[in-house]
């Protein structure tokens, strides 16, 4: 039996995994629970240099630039609409790493990731496949879907988000093991929710103009605005009275209550409130903003990537980007494992098994854990500052983040770590993002 990866979850991270496997000429299938792979739903995403560079390596940057808007600065106001100073984080990203972050709708990113796959790979993206159980054996894995179909393979890649079925099934597998010498189980509810979010998409109308990026800060509630040519999106983040580990599903009545509480807050200086945006909405929704990093990202032949393994608040836009980089790190470790077994056996059809897979999974987590933990903590601090969680956060927000010299200092201090972000070791491409801090891992060039 040849190698086959079963990717559960067909979001941006899952489709990046499809690209990584397609480029490696490895068989795979992507199982997505929703009825379509590309849906016109969801909020906007921010692509940071670490994620953009990977997508650029895959040849997707021209299409992404057409469908997205660059961000150079955030205007910032308080709950009264008063200016509290712009922040230039993103200008420093451009200087240090060669690209501004870009705002793109989830739909457009999904469309680009999907359409850029070859037809043979697109045929392996299967919608309406809700996973209900997974199992492993010494030689492979099996995934059962709600429609009764069963998919067999070599490994399972859980890219199915914060409420991951694969993560729950992995935990059950770990609990059922006869060996208890090494702890391998995660908590049943590993993520803590301190904030909940409402997002609203609405037409871009004056005084909002395309390209606007603005934040409203104040006690217990903050929002971010991203204005596109035709529609704008705001994400509103409310600090909850008590943190919880329980999941929540929100109704339209919950949305109405949220608007009653926060609808008066300005979206942008000079007019337009949250209530105005909601009245003119084309889409809206509410979700909890879970936070946390799992202790164990894999067990046996099952491995987790993206929100299934770690969850951030959206304030820094880092969540999706770190999921993309997870796929890169995992793909590179599997590439090393493939090369090792093929070099040792002289068989170009050989593939890693057993301990070789476990070693690759462990190396993947080791390569990513600290960067992800720091990213999660940074996002949490940013949300805490914007919601004035305490006196220190309020001081930092009003008197530190509003000073360009201090923002530059912190941006430069983090740039060296950002520059260590990986790219695919086996994919040729052009280095289209060059800044003051050279990338530690260059993109493989066909002329090299």
């Amino acid at each position: 039996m040849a190698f086959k990866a079963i990717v559960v979850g067909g979001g941006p991270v899952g489709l990046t995994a499809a690209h990584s496997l397609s480029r490696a000429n490895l068989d795979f299938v992507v199982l997505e629970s929703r009825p379509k792979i590309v849906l016109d739903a969801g909020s906007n995403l921010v692509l940071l240099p670490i994620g953009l560079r990977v997508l650029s390596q895959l040849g997707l940057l021209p299409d992404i630039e057409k469908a997205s808007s660059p961000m150079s600065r955030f205007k910032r106001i308080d709950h009264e609409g008063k200016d509290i100073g712009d922040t230039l984080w993103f200008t420093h990203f451009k200087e240090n790493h060669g690209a501004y972050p870009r705002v793109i709708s989830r739909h457009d990113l999904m469309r680009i990731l999907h359409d850029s796959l070859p037809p043979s790979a697109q045929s392996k993206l299967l919608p309406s496949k809700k996973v209900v159980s997974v199992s492993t054996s010494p030689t492979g894995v099996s995934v059962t879907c709600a429609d009764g179909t069963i998919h067999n393979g070599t490994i399972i890649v859980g890219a199915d988000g914060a409420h991951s079925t694969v993560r729950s099934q992995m935990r059950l597998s770990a609990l059922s093991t006869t060996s208890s010498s090494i702890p391998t189980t995660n908590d049943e509810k590993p993520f803590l929710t301190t904030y909940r979010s409402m997002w609203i998409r609405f037409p871009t109308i004056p005084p909002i103009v395309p390209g606007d990026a603005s934040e409203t800060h104040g006690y217990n509630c903050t929002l971010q605005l991203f204005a596109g040519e035709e529609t704008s999106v705001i994400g509103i983040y409310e600090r909850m009275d008590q943190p919880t580990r329980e999941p929540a599903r929100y109704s339209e009545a919950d949305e109405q209550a949220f608007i009653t509480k926060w609808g008066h807050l300005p979206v942008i200086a000079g007019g337009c409130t949250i209530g105005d945006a909601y009245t003119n909405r084309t889409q809206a929704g509410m979700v909890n903003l879970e936070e946390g990093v799992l202790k164990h990202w894999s067990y046996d032949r099952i491995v987790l990537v993206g929100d299934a393994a770690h969850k951030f608040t959206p304030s820094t836009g880092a969540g999706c980007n770190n999921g993309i980089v997870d796929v890169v790190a995992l793909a590179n470790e599997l590439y090393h494992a493939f090369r090792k077994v093929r070099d040792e056996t002289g068989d170009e059809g050989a593939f890693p098994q057993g301990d070789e897979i476990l070693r690759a999974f462990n190396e993947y987590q080791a390569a990513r854990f600290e960067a992800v933990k720091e990213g999660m903590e940074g996002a949490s601090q940013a949300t805490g500052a914007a919601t004035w969680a305490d006196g220190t956060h309020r001081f930092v927000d009003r008197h530190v983040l509003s000073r360009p010299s201090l923002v530059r200092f912190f941006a430069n201090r983090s740039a060296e770590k950002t520059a260590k972000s990986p790219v695919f070791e086996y994919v040729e491409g052009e280095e289209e993002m060059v800044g003051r801090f050279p990338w530690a891992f260059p993109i493989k060039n066909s002329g090299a």
Side-chain angles (χ1 to χ4, degrees), residues 208-442:
I208 297 173
V209 298
D212 273 346
S214 180
E215 293 185 336
T216 302
H217 293 195
Y219 290 111
N220 297 323
C221 187
T222 183
L223 70 84
Q224 294 179 310
L225 161 73
F226 305 105
E229 290 294 331
E230 297 181 359
T231 64
S232 297
V233 171
I234 54 173
I236 311 146
Y237 317 137
E238 177 193 44
R239 188 175 183 86
M240 301 171 72
D241 292 336
Q242 292 292 332
T244 180
R245 294 187 183 274
E246 298 300 323
R249 290 188 178 274
Y250 293 102
S251 65
E252 188 170 344
D254 294 318
E255 292 181 12
Q256 295 289 346
F258 192 93
I259 293 299
T260 298
K261 183 176 182 180
W262 299 111
H264 64 284
L265 295 185
V267 171
I268 196 169
C272 185
T273 64
I274 293 175
D276 295 332
Y278 188 73
T279 298
N280 293 284
R281 69 192 180 280
T282 57
Q283 294 175 328
M286 285 184 68
V287 294
N288 278 356
L289 300 180
E290 302 90 350
E291 297 176 83
V293 179
L294 263 65
K295 296 178 181 177
H296 309 286
W297 296 11
S298 65
Y299 180 77
D300 201 357
R301 292 172 175 265
I302 307 170
V303 64
L304 306 175
V305 293
D307 287 355
H310 47 76
K311 189 66 169 60
F312 302 0
T313 61
S315 293
T316 59
C320 178
N321 293 273
N322 275 280
I324 290 171
V325 177
D326 283 352
V327 169
V328 172
L330 175 60
N332 287 343
E333 294 303 334
L334 288 172
Y335 171 70
H336 298 161
F338 269 85
R339 287 271 36 101
K340 183 175 186 295
V341 71
R342 290 177 178 180
D343 289 344
E344 290 176 349
T345 63
D347 179 2
E348 283 301 307
F351 57 89
Q353 292 282 359
D355 289 344
E356 296 157 334
I357 290 175
L358 299 182
R359 190 177 302 112
F361 288 173
N362 289 336
E363 291 296 325
Y364 149 65
Q365 178 173 338
R368 292 290 297 141
F369 191 84
E370 288 304 320
V372 163
K373 186 178 178 182
E374 288 182 12
M376 188 273 291
E377 291 170 350
S380 183
Q381 289 295 328
T383 310
T387 55
W388 297 357
D390 52 39
T392 300
H393 280 101
R394 183 175 183 273
F395 177 85
V396 168
D397 189 55
R398 292 184 63 89
H399 303 292
V400 176
L401 298 180
S402 60
R403 295 184 61 180
S405 60
L406 291 176
V407 171
R408 177 183 291 276
F409 169 78
F410 288 118
N412 289 343
R413 192 173 71 168
S414 64
E416 288 189 11
K417 291 183 178 179
T418 299
K420 294 178 181 178
S421 190
V423 289
F424 294 112
E425 293 181 19
Y426 56 90
V427 176
E428 294 180 353
E430 299 295 329
E431 188 62 83
E432 300 185 68
M433 295 167 49
V434 179
R436 292 176 55 235
F437 289 79
W439 296 103
F441 302 101

Side-chain angles (χ1 to χ4, degrees), residues 72-92:
S72 60
R73 68 168 64 206
F74 262 120
K75 301 174 184 176
R76 302 189 315 150
I77 58 175
D78 64 15
H79 284 186
E80 305 301 319
K82 297 176 182 177
D83 182 12
I84 56 173
D86 295 356
T87 184
L88 300 175
W89 281 107
F90 300 145
T91 296
H92 301 312

Side-chain angles (χ1 to χ4, degrees), residues 1-312:
M1 185 177 71
F3 179 91
K4 184 175 183 179
I6 301 176
V7 180
V8 180
V13 175
L15 290 197
T16 302
H19 275 272
S20 76
L21 293 160
S22 177
R23 291 296 189 102
N25 295 315
L26 296 175
D27 193 16
F28 69 92
V29 65
V30 175
L31 306 178
E32 169 55 45
S33 63
R34 292 173 300 179
K36 292 182 179 180
I37 298 296
V38 181
L39 281 174
D40 187 14
S43 187
N44 282 8
L45 299 169
V46 176
L47 294 175
L48 301 174
I50 60 171
L52 272 173
R53 187 165 176 253
V54 173
L55 300 176
S56 172
Q57 184 184 20
L58 295 173
L60 308 185
L61 189 58
D63 288 337
I64 287 174
E65 288 180 338
K66 292 176 184 176
S68 63
S69 302
M71 293 194 305
S72 60
R73 68 168 64 206
F74 262 120
K75 301 174 184 176
R76 302 189 315 150
I77 58 175
D78 64 15
H79 284 186
E80 305 301 319
K82 297 176 182 177
D83 182 12
I84 56 173
D86 295 356
T87 184
L88 300 175
W89 281 107
F90 300 145
T91 296
H92 301 312
F93 281 179
K94 169 68 172 176
E95 295 171 351
N96 291 340
H97 307 297
Y100 288 117
R102 303 192 72 91
V103 181
I104 189 169
S105 72
R106 190 182 192 279
H107 169 265
D108 282 337
L109 179 57
M110 289 292 295
R111 172 181 54 80
I112 292 168
L113 286 166
H114 174 275
D115 293 353
S116 56
L117 285 167
S120 59
Q122 291 183 18
S123 69
K124 299 174 182 179
L125 310 178
L126 306 183
S128 299
K129 295 293 180 181
K130 180 177 174 59
V131 171
V132 294
S133 68
V134 308
S135 62
T136 65
S137 73
T139 58
V141 297
S142 181
V143 176
T144 302
C145 298
D147 62 3
T149 57
I150 298 174
H151 301 266
N152 298 313
T154 312
I155 64 171
I156 298 170
V157 180
D160 50 342
H163 304 289
S164 171
T165 298
V166 172
R167 184 180 67 234
S168 297
Q169 292 287 309
M170 186 181 88
R171 181 175 183 273
L172 292 176
S173 294
L175 286 171
S176 66
T177 185
T178 56
S179 172
S180 59
S181 59
I182 300 175
T184 55
T185 56
N186 295 303
D187 293 337
E188 183 177 4
K189 298 173 182 177
F191 298 148
L192 182 68
T193 299
T194 304
Y195 303 89
R196 63 178 183 169
S197 171
M198 182 174 192
W199 63 271
I200 306 170
R201 186 180 297 278
F202 60 101
T204 299
I205 54 177
I208 297 173
V209 298
D212 273 346
S214 180
E215 293 185 336
T216 302
H217 293 195
Y219 290 111
N220 297 323
C221 187
T222 183
L223 70 84
Q224 294 179 310
L225 161 73
F226 305 105
E229 290 294 331
E230 297 181 359
T231 64
S232 297
V233 171
I234 54 173
I236 311 146
Y237 317 137
E238 177 193 44
R239 188 175 183 86
M240 301 171 72
D241 292 336
Q242 292 292 332
T244 180
R245 294 187 183 274
E246 298 300 323
R249 290 188 178 274
Y250 293 102
S251 65
E252 188 170 344
D254 294 318
E255 292 181 12
Q256 295 289 346
F258 192 93
I259 293 299
T260 298
K261 183 176 182 180
W262 299 111
H264 64 284
L265 295 185
V267 171
I268 196 169
C272 185
T273 64
I274 293 175
D276 295 332
Y278 188 73
T279 298
N280 293 284
R281 69 192 180 280
T282 57
Q283 294 175 328
M286 285 184 68
V287 294
N288 278 356
L289 300 180
E290 302 90 350
E291 297 176 83
V293 179
L294 263 65
K295 296 178 181 177
H296 309 286
W297 296 11
S298 65
Y299 180 77
D300 201 357
R301 292 172 175 265
I302 307 170
V303 64
L304 306 175
V305 293
D307 287 355
H310 47 76
K311 189 66 169 60
F312 302 0

